[in-house]
């Protein structure tokens, strides 16, 4: 179970919100979310003002570890779900992944269309 203190939660919320438009909105290139994690890794530890007039220390490296653990959990769940997808969808999934990664081959797309 992932436990995050209030200071870390507030820090991550602000860090994410400040980068939402550049990293998570619209169509971005493959790996853009990794850029977010790299920026977080390069951020020095910070002191965050808490609502109760106290301060909390935030360790961005620990936050990246938590995000990566959660991402691994989600990827494992997706893998389990994908095992239930019929093999007939493999071509479509491959084309979508290639497009997402910027490797579109128009001959593949044309070859999947029915003529008529």
């Amino acid at each position: 179970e992932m436990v995050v203190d209030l200071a870390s939660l507030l820090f991550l919320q602000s860090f994410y919100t400040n980068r939402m438009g550049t990293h998570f909105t619209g169509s971005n290139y493959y790996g853009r979310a990794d850029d977010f994690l790299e920026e977080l890794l390069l951020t020095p530890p910070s002191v965050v003002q808490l609502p109760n007039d106290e301060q909390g220390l935030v360790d961005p490296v620990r936050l990246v570890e938590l995000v990566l653990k959660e991402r691994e959990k989600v990827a494992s769940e997706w893998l389990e779900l994908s095992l239930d997808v019929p093999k007939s969808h493999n071509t479509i999934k491959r084309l979508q992944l290639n497009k997402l990664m910027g490797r579109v081959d128009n001959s593949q797309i044309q070859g999947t269309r029915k003529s008529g």
Side-chain angles (χ1 to χ4, degrees), residues 20-111:
M20 189 180 332
T22 58
H23 289 69
F24 301 103
T25 303
S27 180
N28 281 308
Y29 60 86
Y30 184 77
R32 189 66 174 140
D34 292 333
D35 293 343
F36 173 83
L37 293 177
E38 183 178 351
E39 288 177 28
L40 187 54
L41 273 174
L42 296 174
T43 302
S46 303
V47 175
V48 173
Q49 187 68 40
L50 299 174
N52 59 2
D53 290 331
E54 292 183 13
Q55 295 179 335
L57 182 62
V58 177
D59 179 8
V61 173
R62 180 176 169 273
L63 287 176
V64 170
E65 289 174 5
L66 292 172
V67 168
L68 289 175
K69 284 180 185 176
E70 187 65 21
R71 190 163 92 169
E72 180 181 19
K73 180 181 165 188
V74 169
S76 294
E77 290 172 5
W78 284 5
L79 176 62
E80 286 182 35
L81 290 172
S82 72
L83 295 175
D84 293 334
V85 175
K87 293 204 183 292
S88 61
H89 293 153
N90 286 347
T91 302
I92 295 170
K93 291 190 310 186
R94 185 180 67 248
L95 290 171
Q96 288 175 330
L97 179 61
N98 285 344
K99 183 177 180 184
L100 178 66
M101 295 177 68
R103 298 186 306 201
V104 176
D105 180 359
N106 289 333
S107 65
Q108 285 181 324
I109 294 171
Q110 304 239 344

